[in-house]
Amino acid sequence: MEPRYDPAVEKKIYDSWEQSGYFDPDVCVEKGVTASDAEPFCVVLPPPNVTGVLHIGHAYEDTLQDIVVRHARMRGMRTLWIPGTDHAAIATQAKVEKEILKVEKKSRRDLGREEFLRRVNEFAQVSHDTIVQQIKRLGASLDWTREAYTLDEKRNLGVRTAFKKMYDLGLIYRASRVVNWDPKGQTVISDDEVQHEERTTKLYTFRYDKNFPIPVATTRLETKFGDTAVAVHPDDKRYAEYVGKTYHADFCGVPLTIRVIADPTVEKDFGTGALGVTPAHSIVDWEIAQRHDLAIPVSIINLYGKMINVPKPFEGETTATARAMVADELKKRNLIEKEEDVKQNVSIAERTGAIIEPLPALQWFVDVDKQFKQNNGHTTTLKALMREAVESGGTTIVPERFEKIYFHWIDNLRDWCISRQIWFGHRIPVWYRERNGVQETHVDIDPPKDDGWEQDPDTLDTWFSSGLWPFSTLGWPDKTKDLEIYFPNSFMDPGYEILQLWVARMILMSGVIMEDVPFRKVLIHGIVRDSKGEKFSKSKGNGIDPLLLADKYGADALRMTLVIGAAPGNDVKFDEQRVKGYRNFSTKIWNIARFIQMNKPEGFADDVDAGAAKHIAAREEIKELAALKAEVTKHIDDFEFHLAAEKLYHYVWHTLADKIIEQEKKTLAGGTDAEKSESYALLEHLLLGSLTMLHPFMPFITEEIYQIFRPGKMLMVEQW
RNA sequence: GCGCGCUUAGCUCAGCGGUAGAGCAACUCGUUUACACCGAGUGGGCCGGGGGUUCAACUCCCUCAGCGCGCACCA
């Protein structure tokens, strides 16, 4: 054995695993390492976005899965782990758009849809290749023969099939309503893609004009051109006499017709207790307007955040400028009664950082409250279905506290807006044409055969295709053998930041389409942060390249650092110092192996030294190892990888090396031949046993050493 | 506002009803069949504050504080 373990061999080891074909469970069955009737175990990789390179968070996520997968494989299960990448519609398009604008000073419209998509696909391909190499470098035992992409043809067929099915069930509909408009990305986004940021802003208390009886408080003076009502609480005695009446007001030169209505959602104690209702530019106001049958509102803000349908000088101004102008005008008219600073949560688009502009638009939605009938005869709603999947125990979420967050999210869920005004993604499978003045709509998997149809220009929310991932990767909508064997998946390991965006959508989609849960267990993990507890981000420049660390200390050391870093669901604070510590552990393991190998008695061979093996069977050290195995197995089954890894670390270093080897040194030096053989047999047994248990955590070094002791074998598929 | 976490040794974190644990850091010794990417050992903790349940609480319950997160409101 070399005096030192060199992480450079890790690439070679990965290649040998890949060449063996054992990542593919069919090959395992074929070659007899897995029984043909073995219980299936399937995990689908959360597909990394093709927007760049792998970061340390991926390394963490992939390590956790690889532990589960390798453990299952070693226990003889028919184990499949499917790789793939995510086209990540908005994220990827935005990235390429930005790059093209920077380098060529061109917008996507300058290039045209076809050319632009060619560029995005090119970028995605390069990004994909990098990512795959990176995943392999970390040792993930994925079956690359089954690799998928959320935007490949197979998955596109799945998306179209799912859309059609949900449309036919009445779960997908098209409607005009106030949506979250991202003025920067020029697209609608769903509620879950909106984030909130607290800011201080001015709250104005004003009157539309001198004769209007009720003062109203608002932070958005510029939208008041679009007001059609003032809402007060039904129990509010101050305004009871005005309820039901309609007033004509002159608001900064614009004639408004304002009805006073009573609605229980209005808070008496906020502002003046009276709310100016702007149906076109507030989701809440839109809903109030619906309840009170207010007239169809006029938009006063366009898609670029500029004022429209208002007189000069307001027309064409940005909302911010218009707000200041309105404030000036009202002051001139002496209509501002109060001006105060308030804290307000501003809605931000998570991808572009733009402030959301609520405005009315015609979009496609998934109805989460609609009753529909499943093939199995049950009548349900999507909300109920998502709730039941977890309540019934069909899917278990670990740690349990995330179940609470999940239910809380369902309780507050609104219809899911799935159409996006971007080009990169799955085109909506709907075609329109006008015939004799009548608008016709065709919703199907394939385009209509006859003439005159035009496909909807929009694409689908990336999470629509991601939601199908647990079964689209298995070949659905075809009735494949994989689907039969491996669905529902056994395990899924996403981060908590996509519990709602992704996990919930998979449960939803699987519930409608497959009428089953997508997976049995979900282990939610935390975020990897830097040593100060800050999130890694490009703008902060605190990123760490997991690949550099793997090359420097070995992928195994990196994996151990991440695993022992924290309990499930908690964030991991990452410090390079710790990786060093586990590199030292690798060295320790290496030296244990070297020491044992150096002491192999002349002529010792496993088949002829059955006597030595028999002798050691009764020894305490063997029992101790067996007890450890039971503990480690239990911890892995309970997803307590940090405990399993820590115990193994402690055993190997402080029991096997510090105690047992030290104790055996005397025998190895001065014992009889029989005693030496026994001593060696014991140490070898303990070493190989430790390597076996360590393998899911530190696959490379364990494989390397194992093959030195057992040439021709492969630890990856040895018995646990 | 509703909900969910976290607070344990200098640092990073485990443990979660039975006399406080690990890694790193610090200190003291040590180099004998591997390993200084060593070994043996030492110091260091009112387990965030207060109250309760219990024979027994870091562990369960209540409450307060600080930090973080989710959802809603934000007119």
Side-chain angles (χ1 to χ4, degrees):
Chain A
M1 277 177 84
E2 298 291 323
R4 283 181 184 195
Y5 173 70
D6 180 5
V9 304
E10 294 178 350
K11 282 184 188 120
K12 186 201 78 192
I13 298 168
Y14 195 90
D15 287 346
S16 76
W17 286 331
E18 233 186 320
Q19 276 157 25
S20 75
Y22 292 147
F23 290 161
D24 179 346
D26 298 340
V27 172
C28 289
V29 171
E30 228 169 80
K31 293 197 181 171
V33 299
T34 303
S36 58
D37 60 348
E39 195 186 328
F41 187 88
C42 179
V43 182
V44 182
L45 181 79
N49 293 354
V50 287
T51 45
V53 294
L54 234 55
H55 57 255
I56 195 106
H58 292 111
Y60 180 42
E61 185 168 277
D62 296 351
T63 299
L64 297 179
Q65 289 169 83
D66 200 38
I67 290 167
V68 174
V69 166
R70 284 183 186 271
H71 182 239
R73 191 182 291 117
M74 292 175 90
R75 283 172 116 184
M77 294 172 94
R78 187 170 185 157
T79 307
L80 173 60
W81 187 18
I82 305 180
T85 46
D86 190 349
H87 71 287
I90 292 183
T92 310
Q93 164 155 336
K95 175 136 192 177
V96 176
E97 241 178 325
K98 204 172 153 191
E99 193 59 29
I100 291 175
L101 188 67
K102 202 172 130 196
V103 177
E104 303 173 39
K105 308 260 181 290
K106 283 180 180 165
S107 75
R108 72 186 212 234
R109 281 170 223 286
D110 293 335
L111 294 178
R113 188 163 188 148
E114 203 179 321
E115 171 62 12
F116 179 73
L117 284 180
R118 199 189 59 75
R119 301 281 195 95
V120 181
N121 283 320
E122 201 177 82
F123 171 84
Q125 184 60 48
V126 172
S127 189
H128 160 270
D129 296 349
T130 310
I131 286 169
V132 168
Q133 287 315 309
Q134 291 177 310
I135 294 173
K136 289 182 176 179
R137 181 63 190 88
L138 296 167
S141 57
L142 288 149
D143 179 5
W144 295 101
T145 66
R146 285 173 164 90
E147 190 186 345
Y149 176 45
T150 56
L151 194 57
D152 60 20
E153 257 176 56
K154 186 92 216 182
R155 264 43 70 173
N156 180 249
L157 175 65
V159 163
R160 279 157 25 221
T161 308
F163 190 97
K164 165 77 171 155
K165 172 160 186 178
M166 290 170 76
Y167 179 82
D168 290 345
L169 284 167
L171 296 174
I172 287 182
Y173 66 94
R174 195 183 195 211
S176 182
R177 69 171 54 160
V178 175
V179 292
N180 305 302
W181 180 260
D182 173 354
K184 200 165 166 192
Q186 285 293 302
T187 181
V188 168
I189 58 175
S190 67
D191 295 344
D192 294 281
E193 291 165 293
V194 175
Q195 292 174 340
H196 302 282
E197 227 174 75
E198 195 175 78
R199 293 190 185 169
T200 303
T201 189
K202 285 246 180 312
L203 179 70
Y204 298 95
T205 302
F206 76 104
R207 283 176 204 258
Y208 295 101
D209 71 10
K210 270 202 278 302
N211 302 320
F212 197 79
I214 305 171
V216 168
T218 185
T219 56
R220 296 206 64 186
L221 277 176
E222 78 281 10
T223 66
K224 300 293 105 183
F225 290 113
D227 282 14
T228 57
V230 164
V232 299
H233 192 93
D235 300 339
D236 198 330
K237 293 192 186 83
R238 292 173 293 179
Y239 308 121
E241 57 177 303
Y242 308 116
V243 172
K245 292 186 177 153
T246 301
Y247 295 85
H248 295 281
D250 169 48
F251 179 70
C252 298
V254 175
L256 297 181
T257 305
I258 305 281
R259 214 167 99 198
V260 178
I261 55 177
D263 195 281
T265 60
V266 178
E267 268 188 56
K268 281 190 280 188
D269 300 329
F270 190 92
T272 60
L275 161 67
V277 180
T278 321
H281 298 288
S282 155
I283 292 174
V284 176
D285 291 7
W286 170 273
E287 285 168 357
I288 293 176
Q290 296 274 304
R291 281 198 290 276
H292 295 273
D293 283 324
L294 297 180
I296 292 162
V298 177
S299 289
I300 53 150
I301 299 170
N302 71 8
L303 301 181
Y304 302 95
K306 301 266 172 74
M307 304 300 294
I308 50 167
N309 298 325
V310 291
K312 284 183 174 144
F314 304 105
E315 192 185 15
E317 296 296 339
T318 64
T319 51
T321 310
R323 185 179 307 172
M325 290 167 69
V326 172
D328 282 349
E329 182 62 29
L330 289 175
K331 273 175 202 160
K332 244 183 252 168
R333 294 175 180 223
N334 215 6
L335 290 168
I336 300 261
E337 297 188 355
K338 204 162 146 197
E339 209 180 309
E340 58 196 307
D341 284 336
V342 289
K343 289 231 189 285
Q344 179 191 231
N345 282 330
V346 180
S347 298
I348 309 278
E350 69 158 354
R351 285 296 167 190
T352 65
I355 295 179
I356 295 298
E357 193 60 68
L359 46 79
L362 183 60
Q363 300 294 335
W364 287 95
F365 294 88
V366 169
D367 192 328
V368 294
D369 289 306
K370 175 154 181 143
Q371 296 256 338
F372 68 102
K373 199 166 176 187
Q374 296 189 282
N375 287 333
N376 61 23
H378 289 135
T379 297
T380 185
T381 66
L382 292 177
K383 266 191 188 176
L385 189 149
M386 282 191 278
R387 184 168 264 291
E388 276 158 26
V390 175
E391 259 172 2
S392 68
T395 291
T396 311
I397 301 180
V398 182
E400 208 184 331
R401 70 186 133 100
F402 290 108
E403 290 193 355
K404 291 177 192 163
I405 294 174
Y406 173 78
F407 289 133
H408 194 245
W409 175 79
I410 293 174
D411 290 340
N412 290 299
L413 190 61
R414 298 172 197 247
D415 285 359
W416 171 21
C417 179
I418 51 171
S419 43
R420 298 287 180 275
Q421 289 66 56
I422 60 171
W423 291 343
F424 186 55
H426 293 281
R427 189 107 173 234
I428 293 179
V430 177
W431 291 262
Y432 311 102
R433 76 173 170 189
E434 213 178 286
R435 268 275 166 106
N436 310 322
V438 182
Q439 167 93 27
E440 292 179 287
T441 302
H442 176 94
V443 179
D444 205 348
I445 295 169
D446 295 308
K449 299 277 186 301
D450 45 336
D451 294 337
W453 292 97
E454 191 122 0
Q455 188 170 6
D456 195 306
D458 289 353
T459 51
L460 286 164
D461 181 3
T462 191
W463 300 106
F464 191 93
S465 56
S466 311
L468 309 173
W469 197 238
F471 44 98
S472 69
T473 47
L474 293 169
W476 183 88
D478 291 341
K479 290 189 174 69
T480 61
K481 209 175 153 220
D482 273 359
L483 203 58
E484 202 180 296
I485 299 173
Y486 298 109
F487 191 84
N489 303 165
S490 316
F491 175 75
M492 174 60 72
D493 181 40
Y496 59 65
E497 75 277 13
I498 50 172
L499 174 64
Q500 294 98 327
L501 282 170
W502 193 40
V503 178
R505 265 63 180 275
M506 286 190 280
I507 295 174
L508 181 158
M509 289 298 205
S510 187
V512 191
I513 311 258
M514 307 300 285
E515 302 196 358
D516 201 346
V517 295
F519 29 70
R520 298 291 175 208
K521 301 219 161 158
V522 190
L523 175 66
I524 306 280
H525 66 256
I527 293 174
V528 183
R529 296 168 181 275
D530 72 8
S531 57
K532 293 184 202 107
E534 305 240 9
K535 271 191 183 180
F536 286 113
S537 78
K538 280 189 197 100
S539 51
K540 273 187 217 140
N542 60 350
I544 294 177
D545 182 355
L547 281 281
L548 284 180
L549 289 167
D551 288 342
K552 198 167 163 191
Y553 302 109
D556 291 332
L558 176 61
R559 291 167 62 118
M560 283 296 270
T561 308
L562 293 167
V563 169
I564 298 185
N570 290 356
D571 291 350
V572 182
K573 242 177 246 179
F574 191 86
D575 190 348
E576 190 168 333
Q577 191 61 35
R578 291 183 49 232
V579 190
K580 238 177 180 166
Y582 293 107
R583 187 271 319 266
N584 294 354
F585 181 52
S586 295
T587 308
K588 191 74 190 179
I589 297 171
W590 190 255
N591 280 304
I592 290 169
R594 276 181 66 212
F595 176 81
I596 293 173
Q597 201 205 29
M598 278 159 58
N599 284 286
K600 186 165 185 170
E602 204 72 28
F604 184 95
D606 299 307
D607 43 352
V608 289
D609 285 274
K614 217 173 251 173
H615 261 109
I616 63 169
R619 289 184 61 158
E620 277 309 310
E621 293 89 340
I622 300 290
K623 287 181 198 155
E624 197 179 2
L625 186 76
L628 176 67
K629 184 172 150 189
E631 281 180 64
V632 169
T633 306
K634 172 125 193 357
H635 285 315
I636 294 179
D637 286 342
D638 294 342
F639 304 129
E640 295 167 336
F641 311 126
H642 61 300
L643 297 181
E646 215 172 275
K647 280 185 181 166
L648 285 166
Y649 174 95
H650 210 264
Y651 172 80
V652 170
W653 200 317
H654 301 299
T655 301
L656 181 56
D658 291 348
K659 297 210 175 78
I660 302 175
I661 287 184
E662 289 306 320
Q663 148 208 308
E664 293 304 310
K665 276 181 180 173
K666 275 183 221 125
T667 317
L668 290 167
T672 63
D673 283 355
E675 283 167 346
K676 280 183 186 170
S677 279
E678 180 184 321
S679 190
Y680 173 79
L682 173 74
L683 292 179
E684 192 198 77
H685 177 89
L686 297 180
L687 172 66
L688 298 186
S690 300
L691 292 177
T692 308
M693 285 191 275
L694 270 171
H695 184 257
F697 303 90
M698 307 180 78
F700 291 109
I701 193 172
T702 52
E703 184 71 72
E704 179 75 4
I705 298 173
Y706 193 84
Q707 293 194 19
I708 290 168
F709 281 81
R710 291 287 181 270
K713 298 243 184 179
M714 191 168 267
L715 179 55
M716 183 176 83
V717 288
E718 289 289 288
Q719 272 285 310
W720 175 255

